[in-house]
Amino acid sequence: MYKYHCLNPISPVGMGQLDANYENTENAADADVILVRSAKMHEMEFGENLKAIARAGAGVNNIPLDRCAEEGIVVFNTPGANANGVKELVIAGMLLAARDIVGGINWVKGYDEDGDIAKAAEKKKKAFAGTELKGKKLGVIGLGAIGVLVANAATHLGMEVYGYDPYLSVDAAWRLSRNIHHAKTVDELYKDCDYITIHVPAMDSTKGMIDKNAIGLMKDGVVILNYARNVLVDEEAVVDALVSGHVKNYVTDFPTPVKGAIITPHLGASTEESEDNCAKMAVAEVRNYLENGNIQHSVNYPDCDMGVKGENTRITLLHHNVPNMIGQFTKILADDNMNIADMTNKSKGAYAYTMIDIDSDVTDSVIEDLTKVKDVLRVRVIR
């Protein structure tokens, strides 16, 4: 029986995928797995039973990843589960920037003069005139799950789309429309595009990438959209560019004190469908890990998959990525006359994961010996 604890409300569509082998606990210290959305976990003390944390969403800045790795806790996220919801809001953001829709709505709401509002609107509507998206150039920085959907959708609006991603995955490349132009450098996008949307993770190499120099390369009247992370854009540089008129609009999903920007209150993944999809993916990930030992979409350990556990006993070991770990594991098993039916090992940065299938039961003494190996962080046996 596995115990789970939810730090935030998680969609019942996802939680309904947990069977009778799982029970809810109100005490996080007793949980085998914690499901979370936005709750801050950096100050939390984790119970010794905690094996996994699943974030029902993509961002994991609310989780202490390094500490979790050192404590042998695998952290999962759900990349792509909310991609369509974010894509649709990005398209809406472009439309809001192209046409002064918000200004027009506010004028109608605030109309308090006597007379025929329909007649007055015919005179006033020129003040809210805009442009069409068709024929405009859109630059998409980052062609992951969301960026690909945005790029493809924009082609159907008649936009000329340019994509830049030096780390484009094979899967993303297959899903990308052949109508997307490949930009060799990000500067190409800055110089040529009427709209620029950014879809990259927040890393040391990307924080503040839309800065004064980047904006200086952009066309006059450019529209910048940020539905990824607020730290990717230098707010001071954007404010200066908005005041000067060099940037027509800054459209973002992160509430910030940027005057003249079009700002939504972090609505990107706030759809029923996105919340359901994230919950279903998170639950599927933790079930696969707890029941089979497989890791998929982890942010602090390598992905590793040996399929559904069959009749064999499966040993899983989370450990530091240092030499001779496999040799030590196999020696301990050989000394106890255990036969290895299958084995795999994957690494990711400072951490590694080893899965071993044994065609017999595993004794407590073997588990103890494996646990004592230096640099082993957690040993788990799935029978």
Side-chain angles (χ1 to χ4, degrees):
M1 178 70 71
Y2 296 109
K3 294 182 179 181
Y4 67 90
H5 178 79
C6 298
L7 290 179
N8 299 107
I10 305 295
S11 165
V13 173
M15 301 310 295
Q17 296 184 345
L18 295 174
D19 60 21
N21 292 317
Y22 294 81
E23 69 174 7
N24 183 37
T25 176
E26 294 300 319
N27 187 0
D30 295 334
D32 294 285
V33 59
I34 289 176
L35 293 104
V36 62
R37 293 185 64 200
S38 58
K40 306 299 183 185
M41 301 184 70
H42 288 276
E43 304 302 320
M44 281 187 67
E45 294 293 328
F46 301 130
E48 60 180 19
N49 292 329
L50 187 62
K51 303 169 181 65
I53 295 171
R55 161 77 165 96
V60 290
N61 59 324
N62 57 321
I63 303 171
L65 302 181
D66 293 340
R67 178 157 66 92
C68 287
E70 282 297 316
E71 295 184 26
I73 301 167
V74 181
V75 179
F76 298 90
N77 69 343
T78 57
N82 57 15
N84 189 70
V86 178
K87 174 208 75 176
E88 291 185 359
L89 195 60
V90 173
I91 299 299
M94 285 197 290
L95 291 167
L96 289 173
R99 313 279 295 272
D100 189 7
I101 298 169
V102 174
I105 291 172
N106 289 337
W107 177 83
V108 172
K109 283 184 176 180
Y111 185 82
D112 56 4
E113 298 179 21
D114 294 332
D116 187 351
I117 187 173
K119 185 176 180 180
E122 287 302 315
K123 295 180 180 179
K124 186 65 178 178
K125 68 180 183 181
K126 292 181 180 179
F128 311 113
T131 59
E132 298 180 9
L133 294 180
K134 184 178 180 180
K136 303 300 187 297
K137 292 182 179 180
L138 169 66
V140 182
I141 303 173
L143 294 168
I146 297 171
V148 164
L149 292 182
V150 170
N152 290 348
T155 64
H156 295 296
L157 293 173
M159 301 187 80
E160 190 176 342
V161 182
Y162 294 78
Y164 173 76
D165 192 334
Y167 308 107
L168 182 66
S169 69
V170 173
D171 180 60
W174 275 108
R175 291 183 287 113
L176 193 64
S177 168
R178 61 184 176 181
N179 295 318
I180 310 300
H181 303 284
H182 173 230
K184 295 181 179 178
T185 68
V186 72
D187 287 357
E188 290 181 39
L189 300 186
Y190 293 153
K191 293 176 182 177
D192 297 333
C193 292
D194 305 294
Y195 293 79
I196 295 173
T197 182
I198 185 167
H199 300 283
V200 299
M203 303 183 294
D204 290 340
S205 59
T206 60
K207 289 179 180 177
M209 66 179 294
I210 305 296
D211 57 10
K212 182 178 180 180
N213 293 330
I215 294 172
L217 295 174
M218 297 177 190
K219 299 168 64 173
D220 282 338
V222 69
V223 173
I224 301 172
L225 301 104
N226 178 17
Y227 286 84
R229 290 288 179 267
N230 61 335
V231 295
L232 301 175
V233 175
D234 182 335
E235 290 180 358
E236 186 175 341
V238 168
V239 169
D240 290 343
L242 285 167
V243 170
S244 70
H246 180 59
V247 171
K248 177 188 174 186
N249 285 116
Y250 175 52
V251 189
T252 181
D253 201 26
F254 306 99
T256 55
V258 178
K259 249 187 175 180
I262 299 173
I263 303 171
T264 49
H266 207 185
L267 299 177
S270 294
T271 67
E272 291 182 13
E273 294 87 350
S274 287
E275 292 182 9
D276 290 347
N277 291 338
C278 287
K280 287 190 289 186
M281 183 182 287
V283 168
E285 289 165 352
V286 296
R287 284 199 62 173
N288 197 15
Y289 177 61
L290 293 176
E291 297 169 26
N292 299 306
N294 299 321
I295 296 178
Q296 184 179 23
H297 298 143
S298 172
V299 292
N300 63 345
Y301 275 100
D303 283 5
C304 191
D305 193 333
M306 277 180 55
V308 176
K309 190 196 82 66
E311 296 299 319
N312 292 324
T313 301
R314 182 164 289 179
I315 304 172
T316 69
L317 303 106
L318 297 164
H319 54 91
H320 289 131
N321 184 22
V322 295
N324 197 36
M325 297 301 288
I326 303 299
Q328 294 181 78
F329 300 155
T330 55
K331 182 180 185 306
I332 290 172
L333 298 175
D335 287 347
D336 207 76
N337 294 316
M338 289 188 174
N339 182 54
I340 296 176
D342 197 5
M343 180 174 68
T344 189
N345 169 268
K346 300 290 183 181
S347 63
K348 181 178 183 178
Y351 300 96
Y353 186 53
T354 301
M355 301 173 70
I356 305 172
D357 277 358
I358 304 295
D359 57 12
S360 62
D361 196 15
V362 179
T363 64
D364 290 341
S365 61
V366 167
I367 298 172
E368 185 177 350
D369 289 342
L370 290 170
T371 304
K372 288 180 180 178
V373 173
K374 184 183 177 183
D375 288 305
V376 167
L377 300 168
R378 186 186 292 266
V379 176
R380 195 160 63 93
V381 177
I382 306 173
R383 294 182 167 89

